Amino acid sequence: MATTLFHLAFPVSDLAEAKAYYADGLGCEIGRENASSVIMNLYGHQIVAHLAHEPLMPQRGVYPRHFGVIFTDEADWEALLERSQRLGLRFYQPPKERFVGTPLEHRTFFLEDPFYNLMEFKFYRYASAIFGQAAFAQIGDTAG
């Protein structure tokens, strides 16, 4: 196990539907759960779905709020893309390539869960772009 893990909590309106989406759809392992939350393993990181007490609303774009995974192996990115397409998961943005021909080049797609949470899945052609390449200012798309 890694020495540090990422943790993210997010709202849902139905725990059974969340478990089905994240386990059957994205392949998460289900961990502890109770009447108001469920812990899941998303590629080695802890995500927690909490029942929301207010209505959940769609976002107007991917910015400023979304979460996801950066794959270090392109085959893993492609496997999740194929799984998502095969299972008919809702794509908020289809797969595309950004910043082609630059040190920031990467492949990405966005999914939207049944509760309007947006997730981005990426693979960077050059690992240096994950945290580096500070000489470049591009981050994401100009329009969300």
Side-chain angles (χ1 to χ4, degrees):
M1 181 180 294
T3 57
T4 58
L5 303 174
F6 184 75
H7 161 80
L8 176 79
F10 58 96
V12 300
S13 57
D14 182 303
L15 287 179
E17 188 176 9
K19 284 170 46 180
Y21 180 86
Y22 283 89
D24 300 338
L26 295 181
C28 292
E29 292 179 33
I30 303 298
R32 294 187 312 279
E33 60 184 290
N34 59 34
S36 62
S37 20
V38 59
I39 292 174
M40 297 171 282
N41 177 341
L42 177 67
Y43 295 98
H45 301 281
Q46 186 191 68
I47 61 173
V48 185
H50 289 279
L51 279 178
H53 300 291
E54 65 279 338
L56 301 176
M57 303 298 291
Q59 291 182 209
R60 295 184 186 176
V62 298
Y63 306 113
R65 189 174 60 84
H66 62 272
F67 66 95
V69 173
I70 298 171
F71 290 97
T72 56
D73 185 329
E74 190 170 19
D76 293 336
W77 183 89
E78 289 173 346
L80 180 61
L81 173 61
E82 186 278 326
R83 177 187 182 117
S84 301
Q85 291 169 328
R86 180 173 35 85
L87 295 175
L89 300 183
R90 184 173 188 275
F91 280 79
Y92 190 84
Q93 286 185 0
K96 63 182 174 183
E97 294 188 16
R98 286 186 180 143
F99 312 125
V100 175
T102 77
L104 305 179
E105 183 174 337
H106 64 281
R107 298 176 75 188
T108 182
F109 64 90
F110 282 83
L111 296 175
E112 181 178 46
D113 78 6
F115 317 101
Y116 311 114
N117 295 299
L118 302 180
M119 295 159 286
E120 181 179 19
F121 299 94
K122 301 181 188 186
F123 168 75
Y124 281 92
R125 185 80 45 224
Y126 309 102
S128 62
I130 296 171
F131 295 112
Q133 298 296 344
F136 293 85
Q138 297 96 326
I139 300 174
D141 293 322
T142 56

